[in-house]
Amino acid sequence: MPYLDNPADGQPGAPSAVDLGGPGPRRITVISASMGAGHDGAATELTRHLTALGFLVDRHDFLDLLPAGIGKLLCGAYLRLLTWAPTGYQRIYVATEHDRRPGPAVRVLLRGARRRTLATVTPETRAVVSTYPGASQVLGALRLRGGLGIPALTYLTDFSVHSLWVAPGIDAHLAAHAIPAAQAHEQGAAGVTVTGPLTDPRFTPATEDDRRAARARFGLPEDAPLALLVAGSWGVGPVREAAAEIRDTGAALPVVVCGRNHVLAERLRADGVTHVHEWVDDMPGLMHACDVLVQNAGGLTSLEALASGLPVVSYRCIPGHGQTNAAALEEAGLAPWIREPGRLAPTLTQLLHGPHRQAQRAAGLALYTSAASGPAQTVAALARRPLPVVRPLSVVRPLSVVRPGVRGRTVAVPSEALDLLAAAVPSEAPGLPLAGLPGPSRRPSAVRRAIPGLPAAVRSAASVLPGAVRAAAPGRPAVVRSAVTAPRQNRRRMILMAVAVAATVSLGIGAPLADAYGEAPGHRLGALTHYLEDDDR
């Protein structure tokens, strides 16, 4: 059931098929990011469900939408922070956890992805869904500026909600549980709805026959209690210590999945850990074989274990989202968080043999039956709504903009924009003579936000009449964007590209550490960042 405002209110709940209407199927764009496997895993399941409902789905990796290959650099910087400087990353996460707006370096970086993100939307697309916070920030900005005329939704893949997940302009935020829904609401998220989690349907409770067959298939002992230790697709965190401590408790044998971290797998084998796996394609089968899951990040694997009826425990969690997810899972009654090694043995014993096992199993399975409708049904309900009728833009006509001390220029502005400007901007505003605007109008606030070096009249119209700007046709840039000449766009694009590279390095290495340790992040970008971000004011 919805936590606050269900964006599908007034629509049939949990539809088995979508009334597409009109010729041919409609499309939905899903944007994830290959930062680990959790964001992509949620996008894969969302795609599968939407396809079953009759939609055509376009998948995109947000890292590919960032300019000049910056996405790979950002991904590498994030992995290195987790691996080489976990304490620093923890301080970064805490320092930015409740910020209402991304820092300047992040905003400049995300700004470079707007054009490519908008290009993923076709005329047949009826909704865009993000499973990655950076993509949500870009989509929200496009919605606010009128560049995106269809619903934009965020599916929260984490059980805790960092501020970057909540983007102004996003129409709906979908959460797996009431805990992340409440956190999103507290940070001002719109359309917060509890829709339940997204997992592969192969993750189901195992029968005794399933358990025996899976153990034989993976070469695991038939009768010993087994603790499945996971550390995400990257295999990060103190996994070797956790494996040794699980083994030393005598409560269970560790079965470790290292993902794509081949070095970790070799070190575990050298430590004498018997059952070590790298990337596993049959994770449902491995979960059927084991008796408890020990995790350190609280991501998709935890939800898959809950769907499998496997008790989950959080232990030696990675910094940042690993620890906040563990706290949220514990608050929800889905997984205890072991903060001290001395609590490992008794907790494992309770989850393997005591009454807590059945309680945790029941709580996990209830997560998949408590929501009135799933994420795909909520997305489908919004995508089924008719789009607003937009009057086509007519042929543009010139507008001269003259400012004292600045060389005058002529820009191309649609006729509708000129009509709006005529009503919004005084034709004889002090310091801002405008030629080509019929009819005077006294509205001084229209020019207060005029920015030197940019078409002031167009900027003023955007600040006074945002509704008119947002009425731009779906998939087309806003009216104001068409008022900037091509040479100026190209020049700004080149500057943006150069700054984005610096911002990425700053984001991954310098600025976060400076922010965490009390220094002013991004101050060296100075007036250049100020110039590139003037649209955000």
Side-chain angles (χ1 to χ4, degrees):
M1 61 182 296
Y3 173 75
L4 283 177
D5 297 323
N6 188 345
D9 281 347
Q11 302 289 338
S16 58
V18 176
D19 180 15
L20 298 176
R26 298 182 182 181
R27 311 184 79 93
I28 291 178
T29 296
V30 176
I31 303 177
S32 63
S34 53
M35 301 281 279
H39 303 290
D40 283 340
T44 297
E45 286 309 302
L46 186 60
T47 299
R48 185 180 65 81
H49 283 277
L50 289 170
T51 302
L53 289 173
F55 287 94
L56 296 177
V57 180
D58 299 313
R59 281 280 304 273
H60 297 276
D61 189 330
F62 182 71
L63 300 186
D64 295 334
L65 302 180
L66 291 168
I70 291 176
K72 293 182 179 180
L73 178 62
L74 180 63
C75 183
Y78 172 57
L79 176 58
R80 284 168 177 78
L81 276 173
L82 283 177
T83 306
W84 299 345
T87 303
Y89 176 70
Q90 173 66 19
R91 298 187 67 173
I92 296 167
Y93 192 95
V94 171
T96 60
E97 187 176 6
H98 301 294
D99 288 351
R100 287 292 181 178
R101 192 185 188 198
V106 178
R107 295 200 301 273
V108 171
L109 175 64
L110 296 179
R111 185 185 178 93
R114 290 180 190 169
R115 180 175 55 84
R116 292 186 180 184
T117 301
L118 193 59
T120 66
V121 180
T122 70
E124 296 80 23
T125 305
R126 290 296 176 265
V128 186
V129 188
S130 164
T131 64
Y132 179 67
S136 297
Q137 290 291 331
V138 173
L139 291 172
L142 289 172
R143 285 290 278 158
L144 289 176
R145 284 166 172 74
L148 184 65
I150 58 176
L153 303 91
T154 291
Y155 179 77
L156 303 168
T157 60
D158 284 336
F159 225 77
S160 62
V161 181
H162 188 275
S163 61
L164 198 60
W165 274 112
V166 178
I170 292 294
D171 297 273
H173 294 75
L174 314 183
H177 187 274
I179 296 296
Q183 292 183 9
H185 170 56
E186 289 171 0
Q187 300 191 57
V192 181
T193 307
V194 178
T195 60
L198 282 166
T199 54
D200 191 309
R202 296 179 299 162
F203 291 98
T204 56
T207 65
E208 187 60 32
D209 290 341
D210 293 334
R211 179 177 177 275
R212 283 195 296 266
R215 290 198 172 199
R217 191 162 62 251
F218 284 96
L220 299 172
E222 186 175 345
D223 297 321
L226 301 179
L228 180 59
L229 176 61
V230 296
S233 63
W234 288 344
V236 294
V239 182
R240 295 172 66 191
E241 293 87 338
E245 289 163 352
I246 291 172
R247 180 184 57 191
D248 293 345
T249 64
L253 290 176
V255 179
V256 189
V257 177
C258 303
R260 295 185 173 89
N261 193 334
H262 309 298
V263 174
L264 174 62
E266 291 302 319
R267 289 176 177 173
L268 284 165
R269 293 184 183 110
D271 291 341
V273 179
T274 306
H275 306 291
V276 178
H277 300 271
E278 295 182 23
W279 183 263
V280 176
D281 290 320
D282 185 19
M283 276 300 288
L286 190 55
M287 287 190 180
H288 288 166
C290 296
D291 301 292
V292 64
L293 179 84
V294 181
Q295 63 85 31
N296 69 356
L300 181 61
T301 306
S302 300
L303 298 175
E304 293 169 344
L306 295 173
S308 302
L310 200 63
V312 178
V313 61
S314 304
Y315 183 60
R316 286 195 173 272
C317 297
I318 62 174
H321 65 277
Q323 296 184 15
T324 57
N325 283 344
L329 286 167
E330 185 174 55
E331 183 182 356
L334 295 171
W337 180 12
I338 303 174
R339 295 169 174 82
E340 300 175 0
R343 294 295 308 162
L344 180 61
T347 303
L348 286 178
T349 301
Q350 290 174 356
L351 292 179
L352 288 167
H353 309 292
H356 290 282
R357 177 177 180 81
Q358 291 304 319
Q360 291 291 326
R361 176 186 172 93
L365 293 175
L367 183 62
Y368 288 82
T369 59
S370 58
S373 62
Q377 283 77 13
T378 303
V379 174
L382 279 176
R384 285 162 41 193
R385 293 181 177 179
L387 295 176
V389 177
V390 179
R391 183 161 56 97
L393 297 178
S394 61
V395 178
V396 299
R397 63 183 199 257
L399 165 68
S400 298
V401 181
V402 182
R403 186 176 179 85
V406 179
R407 185 178 60 185
R409 67 178 66 83
T410 299
V411 295
V413 182
S415 296
E416 288 83 352
L418 282 178
D419 296 337
L420 296 175
L421 290 170
V425 184
S427 58
E428 298 177 355
L432 185 62
L434 300 174
L437 288 181
S441 175
R442 295 292 177 182
R443 202 174 292 186
S445 61
V447 295
R448 282 180 196 158
R449 299 177 66 186
I451 299 173
L454 290 177
V458 176
R459 181 76 55 190
S460 301
S463 64
V464 175
L465 298 168
V469 176
R470 289 173 194 156
R476 295 186 58 180
V479 173
V480 174
R481 187 173 303 168
S482 66
V484 185
T485 57
R488 186 167 185 81
Q489 284 181 331
N490 293 335
R491 186 168 77 248
R492 290 186 64 179
R493 234 178 244 132
M494 292 175 62
I495 297 173
L496 172 62
M497 197 72 70
V499 174
V501 174
T504 302
V505 176
S506 177
L507 173 65
I509 301 172
L513 292 176
D515 184 56
Y517 286 88
E519 300 176 14
H523 69 281
R524 293 183 181 180
L525 296 177
L528 190 56
T529 300
H530 176 84
Y531 167 75
L532 287 170
E533 292 192 316
D534 53 16
D535 282 351
D536 292 331
R537 302 183 183 196

